[in-house]
Each structure stands twice: as structure tokens, then as C-alpha cells.
Amino acid sequence: MRTLLAVLVLAVSASGCASCSGTGQRMLGVIEGPINDPGNRSLRRSIMAFGLKEFCHEMTTRNAPLKLNEDSPVTGRFYPQTCSAREMSDGNLSVTFGGPGYAWTNVTKKLTFTTSGAIEYDQDFLMEGSTMYAYFKTKKLASSDFRTQIIEQPIANVMNQIAPMADGIGRQLVNSQLSQGFTVIREANGTADFTIGKVDKGKRPVHPYEVRGEDRITYENLRTEVHQNQRDFIGPIEVEDSGRALFFTGTVDGGVAVDVLFMTKSEGEASLKLYLDYPMTGPLSGTPISTDVMQPGVAFKKIVPVPKGLYFIILDNTATAGQVAPPQNPLDDRAAAVSYVAQIGEAP
């Protein structure tokens, strides 16, 4: 058994080969019973240790959607840009991180921030067939530094009365996500479902779309709210091979059409920086590689072939990019509620 498990560890830790890691995960599923045995926790941790070198890569090539609670739509995002992870003497994982983000509240409108911190995770995993449930339970939120950058609400800025409240709202929103830890449900095909809190083995979080089959890797399957004169930056989405395409399926409620813009990493990050640095939303930093309009109440599907690289999909509810120009009534916020699934698959 020890020899077999050693082979499995090597298979699971294979790098640079998606099919290799998928094969290793399927092999772990073959001995699901022994792997899930409560007495084999130290074995599971030793297996996870081989994959922890990829923790920071995964963290910095994704965003963390921010929600008021699990059933609420996405109201903002955090983009980790720095990350350092190490295994502690007791087997826990120590992670330090930092990066910018944004959120929207009816008090502040757009609120942008930077945050950094250190977290200790108690990590473990269980198998259900070839599906891996990886658990990162927050053991200790050692520190968290939250700083408000921009508050869009002009009256609030002039009166300088809302900054302390904005700090409190933003810090509570981010810290509430960090304190719950997260679950990664990883399929053998490479699809990974990142969910705040713990999801018991065999269960799945609720998503707008039911995804079947293994021919596409799902990046996000969520519901987000894009308010008037706001944008939502989905990404960065990593495409690891050539001959691939980005698949975006969605519907929008609220009687408002939104632009769907596809951008490369460099142009998307530059546009995101402008969005974070200025109160009012202005033009994008460059030309999207693809644009389209999602009409309210109409099923939307878009396929964009792309070379290997990193990409952003931007949902735009402004008059400064794309084709749609929302009505400019400050007393009538026409928010677009967008349900979507963003995937990576073989180009047609």
C-alpha cells in the first residue's frame, strides 16, 4: 500500500501536464476508502504538500469574488498580486498576500481598496470518486491591513464624512470572506470550483448554470450585479494550451443591456488599474479583442478563440466603452444582474 501511495503522490504532483494530474487524481479516487479514512489525515497532508507549490500561482491567476453572503450576487472582487506560502511545523499552511480590489455599496457607490494580510490555514482533502474536495479552514487570521483608495460618491467625498464608514464596510466585507476559509472542488479535467466556507463531500454549491461533461474547464459560474456606470472584471483567466477558446454563456436581468468585452491580460490589467485609481469610470486602456452586447432576457453565448495566455472578460454598464450607453439619471440606478458561466475549451 505504501508503494502504491508513493506512486499516486508522484502522479498527483505532476506539473506541466493537465492530463497527468487528472490521471493522478483518478488514481486517488480508486482507493477513495483508504484515502478518506480519518486515521490517514497525515497521509493526505503529505499528498497535499506536493501541490502546495502551486498555491500562490493559483491565487495570483484568479480573483476572489466578494459577496455580502453566500446567496447574494457578487458585489466586488479582490485581485491577489503578491503571495507567499509555506508549510508550518504542525502541517498547517501559512500564507501572506496582498493586492487591490473594488466593491459597490449604495452608500459609497464604487469603493476601491488595497489589502494585505497573513492567514494560517488548516488544510485537508477528501475524495469522491475522481473529484477532490480540498479544504482550507482559517485557523488564524494573523493580520489584515485594509486601506480605502477611492470613494466614488461625490457628495460623500466633498463632505469627507463617509471615509471611516467606507473603511469599516470594506474591511468587514473582505475579512468576513477570509475568516470563513474556502473549499476547492477539483474535477479530474482541471475544473476547480472555489467556494467560501466548507462544502461537505458529495455536495455542490448552488450556481446559475448546470455544467455537464468534461470537455470544458469552468473558470467561474456565478451571478454578479453591475450597477450603472460600473464594470466587473472577470479574470485573469489562464489559457494553458494553444487551439483553445473562451466560452461565455449568460443572461441579464433588470431591463438593462450590458457590453461583454474580451481583453488580453496586459490591456485588461491596465483597464482595471484605471478603474481602481479614478472615482468616475472612463474609457478602457486599449481595444478589446472581441465585443458584443448582452440583451436583457435573451440567452447569450459567445465563443472567442484565443492563443495561450491570460485574459479578462469585462461586463460593462457605462457609456465610456462598448456600444451600450445607460441612462445617466443619478436617482435611478439601473443595475444589471448577470448570471454567467465562463469556460475554457477546444476552439471550434
Side-chain angles (χ1 to χ4, degrees):
M1 176 64 75
R2 287 186 178 276
T3 302
L4 174 60
L5 290 174
V7 172
L8 289 171
V9 168
L10 291 175
V12 170
S13 63
S15 59
C17 174
S19 61
C20 293
S21 58
T23 300
Q25 192 164 316
R26 290 186 182 94
M27 291 172 68
L28 285 176
V30 171
I31 54 170
E32 174 185 340
I35 286 292
N36 292 347
D37 189 323
N40 283 335
R41 187 165 187 266
S42 60
L43 171 64
R44 293 194 298 273
R45 276 197 162 186
S46 67
I47 293 175
M48 283 194 78
F50 283 88
L52 292 180
K53 62 182 179 180
E54 296 296 322
F55 185 95
C56 282
H57 174 76
E58 292 292 334
M59 188 173 190
T60 54
T61 53
R62 286 182 175 269
N63 71 82
L66 302 177
K67 303 180 182 181
L68 295 175
N69 56 65
E70 186 56 34
D71 297 327
S72 298
V74 173
T75 191
R77 297 180 191 267
F78 169 57
Y79 299 87
Q81 293 182 342
T82 61
C83 173
S84 174
R86 65 178 179 85
E87 187 178 4
M88 303 175 69
S89 59
D90 60 0
N92 286 350
L93 181 66
S94 175
V95 179
T96 58
F97 63 90
Y102 61 83
W104 191 96
T105 74
N106 57 2
V107 177
T108 62
K109 292 192 176 182
K110 180 174 68 178
L111 163 70
T112 73
F113 61 87
T114 59
T115 188
S116 61
I119 306 177
E120 180 183 335
Y121 288 114
D122 178 0
Q123 80 275 8
D124 196 2
F125 78 90
L126 296 173
M127 298 298 299
E128 187 195 39
S130 61
T131 300
M132 175 181 287
Y133 284 72
Y135 300 107
F136 294 84
K137 179 181 178 182
T138 299
K139 189 77 173 179
K140 182 180 180 183
L141 184 57
S143 63
S144 178
D145 179 27
F146 183 95
R147 299 185 182 185
T148 299
Q149 255 189 315
I150 294 295
I151 300 172
E152 178 185 352
Q153 181 61 269
I155 296 177
N157 276 333
V158 171
M159 298 178 67
N160 199 30
Q161 292 181 345
I162 204 169
M165 183 184 298
D167 270 345
I169 292 172
R171 183 177 287 106
Q172 181 178 3
L173 182 62
V174 173
N175 285 357
S176 67
Q177 309 289 292
L178 296 176
S179 63
Q180 296 178 64
F182 62 95
T183 301
V184 180
I185 304 174
R186 188 183 190 280
E187 307 293 350
N189 75 335
T191 291
D193 193 347
F194 291 78
T195 304
I196 296 297
K198 181 181 179 182
V199 179
D200 291 332
K201 180 175 72 71
K203 295 184 178 181
R204 298 297 175 107
V206 177
H207 291 302
Y209 287 89
E210 182 178 354
V211 177
R212 296 180 179 179
E214 295 191 354
D215 56 332
R216 296 179 191 171
I217 296 173
T218 298
Y219 176 81
E220 280 184 1
N221 188 350
L222 294 171
R223 183 174 175 84
T224 185
E225 225 170 49
V226 188
H227 290 262
Q228 185 173 293
N229 297 320
Q230 306 299 319
R231 294 185 180 124
D232 195 17
F233 290 76
I234 302 168
I237 304 171
E238 185 173 27
V239 178
E240 297 181 335
D241 303 297
S242 58
R244 308 289 272 174
L246 297 175
F247 294 76
F248 188 84
T249 301
T251 57
V252 58
D253 299 324
V256 180
V258 294
D259 289 293
V260 183
L261 314 170
F262 293 74
M263 300 192 81
T264 62
K265 175 180 182 286
S266 58
E267 298 288 5
E269 285 186 339
S271 297
L272 174 59
K273 188 175 188 307
L274 290 175
Y275 188 73
L276 295 171
D277 288 347
Y278 293 93
M280 308 308 293
T281 304
L284 298 170
S285 72
T287 303
I289 58 177
S290 177
T291 67
D292 214 323
V293 176
M294 185 186 302
Q295 298 290 349
V298 179
F300 177 87
K301 291 186 178 182
K302 184 74 173 180
I303 303 173
V304 180
V306 292
K308 178 180 178 180
L310 291 162
Y311 300 89
F312 281 87
I313 300 174
I314 304 169
L315 303 178
D316 184 276
N317 190 10
T318 79
T320 55
Q323 305 173 48
V324 178
Q328 299 301 303
N329 183 351
L331 301 179
D332 184 17
D333 174 23
R334 298 292 183 91
V338 182
S339 299
Y340 68 91
V341 56
Q343 298 175 297
I344 306 159
E346 185 176 350

